[in-house]
Amino acid sequence: MIKPRSRRGGGRPTIADVARKAGVGAITVSRALREPERVSEELRRQIQAAVDELGYVPDPNARALASARAEVFGVLVPSLTNNVFAEVVRGIYDSLSASPFRIQLGNTHYSGLEEERLLQLFGSQRPAALIVAGIDQTPTSRKLLENAGCPVVQVMETGPDPVDMMVGFSHLDGGRAATEHLIEAGYRRIGFIGARMDPRSQRRLAGYRAAMEAAGLFDPRLVTTTPVLSSVSLGREMLRDALAKVPTLDGVFCNNDDIALGVLFECHRASIAVPKTIGIVGFNDLDMMQVAFPSVTSIRTHRYEIGRRAVAMALAAIAGNRPDQRVIDLGFELKRRESTDR
Amino acid sequence: MIKPRSRRGGGRPTIADVARKAGVGAITVSRALREPERVSEELRRQIQAAVDELGYVPDPNARALASARAEVFGVLVPSLTNNVFAEVVRGIYDSLSASPFRIQLGNTHYSGLEEERLLQLFGSQRPAALIVAGIDQTPTSRKLLENAGCPVVQVMETGPDPVDMMVGFSHLDGGRAATEHLIEAGYRRIGFIGARMDPRSQRRLAGYRAAMEAAGLFDPRLVTTTPVLSSVSLGREMLRDALAKVPTLDGVFCNNDDIALGVLFECHRASIAVPKTIGIVGFNDLDMMQVAFPSVTSIRTHRYEIGRRAVAMALAAIAGNRPDQRVIDLGFELKRRESTDR
DNA sequence: GGCGAAAGTGGTAGCGCTACCATTCCGCAG
DNA sequence: CTGCGGAATGGTAGCGCTACCACTTTCGCC
């Protein structure tokens, strides 16, 4: 009976096996893999041959322990099913797939406490970089980020006081632009409908309010919100609520496109003409908005690009050249469509 | 000037610091943290106090290295933005959030090669378990899974030959049930519209075909597919294509709900009465289907539950009691709605 | 009262890798 | 011919933790 090579370990090849086979020192194998230019052409070839033959794959845990730095990006988002964050995450994954970095994804469920817990957990891994959604971290979280000892990118929003770097856009401006568009289109009793009032939603609401007040149209009864998680069916219910409160409602700025779609369907069902009787504006501009009937005006945001930029900034910082511009505003675009075309 | 405690490391407390402060051996601290019942009440308290005071968090890398087992679940899905997989992943995250296990999520982009690469990468970490979407792994991937040395759960589908364990349902039966429902409702020229024909879509198509042939209604011209990624706008275009090919089309089984929604909107736009002129059935039953106008019949699948069950099975296997039933079929439900109610 | 088992605790030796420093070898200036 | 700098390579000593085994103490039982 063959004794296992060691009491532990799965018996897979280690760097020492490769070194032996290639007839070099272990450290040279390590270098050949990480900084090939520091090893002579010839040894590099021999080592590569040994690696291929043995099917050697470095153990990331041993690597992280020895170098006190894991090749991991920690990513924290409040939701995995919300299409908006899914796209940011997709941008991050796509940008990192060709690099040696792995991704540690955490779901905070919109909870500050959960965010602290995950930050603590991720920090213990000494990640190469951290990407977190939002700019409203708790003081504890902020401290954890500041002491993380790695590049930090806050995404989705812009603000005056980055922990380190930021990529996003102004939700306040987005909310204002959406509302101003409705006002310009001639709507007057414009409601705000929003679920899951996270800080970004609050800022969109603030933008709505600013625009309405500037036009002398603001009325608190026009605002309908709930802490419940956003969904299409919720949009439908909330339009009903809003109409019950304000029967003369002639426009809605929806906190996001799910809500907007629910509102649109409810209008169909209740035979409310869109855009004639009620105008609708969404937020995020999901693919379906331009296909809907009528197509729905929305604020297009650049989620995928936010993910890509965040990674690019982090990688630059890791490489030692932190960008001069620490806050990048990717802006947004108002997409005018049939739902406000009257 | 104070010399750093060691040449490397961030200066954060180690298990030795805790042991010193608590006046015990390092190994006892380790045990108190992992198997508290094996340490006396009193020491446990002392150790906990030292941990709290120092803010000690175990280094997962060192842990993984020493125990040859990382507290990581590797999860492989073909897409991060597809709501279906997002829900499976959410189920996995929610089930694991209270456990010590982290999650390593990989996006295969529906590519077998990418799956192999990621499996190789994940394997090097000696994960505690692997959860992979689908049952159509390449031979290489299958071998990697078999040799992973940890529980493996294939999710989303059921099949006769699990690598280890499986949770899902029969896409073929789902496709058949959807089609039979349309036939029973009196539709005759029933089309199949599907994008991104991955293996699961292929099986739904096979189910459609089986039902159509059994009823003597099959006609290859009724089938419209494309390799392009599914989206709502694609659904709209594909209905146009389908109608151009078969103007007498009176029903559609859509490969998924995004497509179904696009089809529904195109019907609105072209003033095609639903369900009178055309009946529509979707697949997955996203929240929006019951809110749509008219509401859309769909096959409800239990994505979140699949994620939860996969974790439950893996955890059981890790704990040493692999379930007797290695393949769990969670089934599906046909949700009859207005879009086929005639 | 002696003995073995069991419970509680600790020491030692790694896990697989890399930081740090030492060594070798070469070319070239003095 | 010596000395020196730089490039290429290697040895040693850990990184922070846990597996394995040894030791001590307590307790039950014949």
Side-chain angles (χ1 to χ4, degrees):
Chain A
M1 191 163 169
I2 296 162
K3 241 188 138 180
R5 230 213 8 268
S6 97
R7 63 196 163 114
R8 309 179 229 167
R12 56 190 111 212
T14 71
I15 202 168
D17 298 326
V18 176
R20 208 171 304 122
K21 170 148 269 173
V24 299
I27 189 69
T28 305
V29 175
S30 174
R31 265 198 291 261
L33 263 34
R34 290 175 303 130
E35 318 167 85
E37 71 285 357
R38 291 195 38 193
V39 174
S40 69
E41 178 68 26
E42 198 193 331
L43 285 193
R44 229 185 300 164
R45 242 199 319 273
Q46 286 176 39
I47 290 168
Q48 189 54 51
V51 165
D52 291 343
E53 192 172 340
L54 294 171
Y56 169 73
V57 184
D59 180 332
N61 297 119
R63 216 170 228 196
L65 183 58
S67 64
R69 179 57 69 210
E71 291 189 318
V72 170
F73 269 52
V75 178
L76 282 184
V77 293
S79 160
L80 295 173
T81 38
N82 183 326
N83 184 283
V84 171
F85 295 109
E87 294 241 318
V88 174
V89 169
R90 188 168 65 86
I92 294 171
Y93 267 80
D94 286 357
S95 300
L96 243 27
S97 67
S99 81
F101 294 100
R102 288 167 292 150
I103 295 165
Q104 186 69 51
L105 185 61
N107 180 359
T108 66
H109 292 98
Y110 293 95
S111 150
L113 242 74
E114 186 65 9
E115 186 170 57
E116 286 175 17
R117 194 184 71 81
L118 287 166
L119 237 26
Q120 178 90 35
L121 188 70
F122 284 17
S124 69
Q125 290 185 71
R126 304 153 193 263
L130 285 171
I131 298 177
V132 300
I135 61 177
D136 300 273
Q137 283 76 30
T138 64
T140 308
S141 289
R142 201 176 161 98
K143 200 150 292 169
L144 284 166
L145 287 172
E146 281 162 358
N147 298 334
C150 68
V152 173
V153 190
Q154 291 162 290
V155 295
M156 291 311 291
E157 293 188 71
T158 53
D161 189 24
V163 170
D164 182 3
M165 296 175 283
M166 259 182 198
V167 198
F169 62 94
S170 164
H171 291 252
L172 188 135
D173 290 352
R176 183 178 4 227
T179 311
E180 282 172 352
H181 169 68
L182 280 163
I183 296 170
E184 276 162 28
Y187 298 99
R188 286 295 169 267
R189 296 291 280 168
I190 303 164
F192 175 94
I193 296 186
R196 167 56 74 193
M197 294 304 289
D198 64 25
R200 286 166 291 285
S201 300
Q202 299 284 3
R203 282 189 264 273
R204 289 178 212 157
L205 172 54
Y208 157 85
R209 180 166 182 160
M212 291 295 276
E213 284 178 342
L217 295 172
F218 183 71
D219 174 350
R221 288 186 310 143
L222 289 168
V223 175
T224 310
T225 66
T226 157
V228 174
L229 259 175
S230 159
S231 69
V232 180
S233 48
L234 192 62
R236 180 180 170 190
E237 286 167 34
M238 291 185 79
L239 178 64
R240 286 215 207 101
D241 293 354
L243 281 170
K245 273 192 302 184
V246 183
T248 58
L249 199 74
D250 70 353
V252 238
F253 167 39
C254 303
N255 181 47
N256 67 40
D257 285 348
D258 286 346
I259 299 289
L261 194 62
V263 165
L264 177 65
F265 282 134
E266 176 59 16
C267 287
H268 278 312
R269 208 168 275 280
S271 299
I272 297 169
V274 176
K276 194 155 183 297
T277 309
I278 284 190
I280 303 175
V281 177
F283 202 98
N284 280 320
D285 196 28
L286 303 185
D287 163 64
M288 61 175 88
M289 302 321 269
Q290 62 172 315
V291 184
F293 180 75
S295 60
V296 180
T297 299
S298 192
I299 299 285
R300 164 157 283 268
T301 57
H302 310 291
R303 288 96 60 189
Y304 184 76
E305 185 63 15
I306 286 176
R308 294 197 67 97
R309 288 294 193 96
V311 169
M313 289 174 95
L315 287 176
I318 290 169
N321 35 22
R322 227 183 206 77
D324 299 330
Q325 208 187 337
R326 300 199 144 205
V327 179
I328 294 183
D329 188 339
L330 252 30
F332 55 84
E333 257 173 281
L334 175 73
K335 296 283 188 182
R336 291 154 196 261
R337 302 220 178 82
E338 296 161 352
S339 71
T340 54
D341 184 23
R342 79 167 185 192
Chain B
M1 191 162 164
I2 297 161
K3 242 189 137 182
R5 229 209 17 262
S6 97
R7 63 199 162 110
R8 306 180 231 168
R12 55 189 111 211
T14 72
I15 202 169
D17 297 326
V18 176
R20 208 171 306 123
K21 170 148 269 170
V24 300
I27 190 67
T28 305
V29 175
S30 174
R31 263 197 292 261
L33 263 34
R34 289 176 304 130
E35 317 167 85
E37 70 285 357
R38 292 196 36 195
V39 173
S40 68
E41 177 70 27
E42 196 193 332
L43 285 194
R44 227 185 304 165
R45 243 200 317 274
Q46 285 175 38
I47 289 169
Q48 190 53 53
V51 165
D52 292 344
E53 192 173 337
L54 293 171
Y56 170 71
V57 183
D59 181 332
N61 298 119
R63 219 171 225 196
L65 183 58
S67 64
R69 182 55 69 211
E71 291 188 320
V72 170
F73 269 52
V75 178
L76 282 184
V77 293
S79 159
L80 295 172
T81 37
N82 183 327
N83 183 284
V84 171
F85 295 108
E87 293 242 319
V88 174
V89 169
R90 188 169 64 88
I92 294 171
Y93 268 81
D94 286 358
S95 300
L96 243 27
S97 66
S99 82
F101 294 100
R102 287 166 293 149
I103 295 164
Q104 186 69 50
L105 184 61
N107 179 359
T108 67
H109 292 97
Y110 293 95
S111 151
L113 242 74
E114 186 65 10
E115 187 170 56
E116 287 175 17
R117 194 185 70 82
L118 287 166
L119 238 27
Q120 178 90 34
L121 189 70
F122 284 17
S124 69
Q125 288 184 72
R126 305 153 191 264
L130 285 171
I131 298 177
V132 300
I135 61 177
D136 301 273
Q137 281 77 29
T138 64
T140 308
S141 288
R142 200 172 162 102
K143 199 150 292 166
L144 284 167
L145 287 172
E146 281 162 357
N147 298 333
C150 67
V152 173
V153 189
Q154 291 162 290
V155 296
M156 290 311 289
E157 292 187 70
T158 52
D161 189 22
V163 169
D164 182 6
M165 297 175 284
M166 256 182 202
V167 198
F169 62 95
S170 164
H171 291 251
L172 189 136
D173 290 351
R176 182 176 5 226
T179 311
E180 282 171 352
H181 168 68
L182 279 163
I183 295 170
E184 276 162 28
Y187 297 99
R188 285 298 167 266
R189 297 290 280 168
I190 303 164
F192 175 93
I193 295 186
R196 167 55 75 193
M197 293 304 289
D198 64 26
R200 287 166 291 286
S201 301
Q202 299 283 4
R203 281 188 265 273
R204 288 176 212 159
L205 172 53
Y208 158 86
R209 182 169 180 156
M212 291 294 277
E213 284 178 343
L217 294 172
F218 184 69
D219 174 348
R221 288 186 310 144
L222 290 167
V223 175
T224 309
T225 66
T226 156
V228 175
L229 260 174
S230 157
S231 68
V232 179
S233 47
L234 193 63
R236 182 181 167 189
E237 286 168 35
M238 291 185 79
L239 178 64
R240 287 215 207 102
D241 294 353
L243 281 170
K245 273 193 301 185
V246 183
T248 58
L249 199 75
D250 70 353
V252 238
F253 167 41
C254 302
N255 182 46
N256 66 39
D257 286 347
D258 286 346
I259 300 287
L261 193 62
V263 165
L264 176 65
F265 282 134
E266 177 58 17
C267 287
H268 277 313
R269 209 167 274 279
S271 298
I272 298 168
V274 176
K276 193 154 183 296
T277 308
I278 284 191
I280 303 175
V281 177
F283 201 98
N284 281 321
D285 196 28
L286 303 186
D287 163 64
M288 60 176 89
M289 301 322 269
Q290 64 171 312
V291 184
F293 180 74
S295 60
V296 179
T297 299
S298 192
I299 299 285
R300 164 158 284 267
T301 57
H302 310 290
R303 289 96 59 188
Y304 184 76
E305 185 62 16
I306 286 176
R308 295 196 67 98
R309 286 293 193 97
V311 169
M313 290 175 94
L315 288 176
I318 290 169
N321 35 23
R322 223 180 208 77
D324 299 330
Q325 208 187 336
R326 300 199 145 207
V327 179
I328 294 183
D329 187 340
L330 253 30
F332 56 83
E333 256 174 283
L334 176 73
K335 294 284 189 182
R336 291 156 196 262
R337 303 222 178 81
E338 294 162 353
S339 71
T340 54
D341 184 24
R342 78 169 185 190

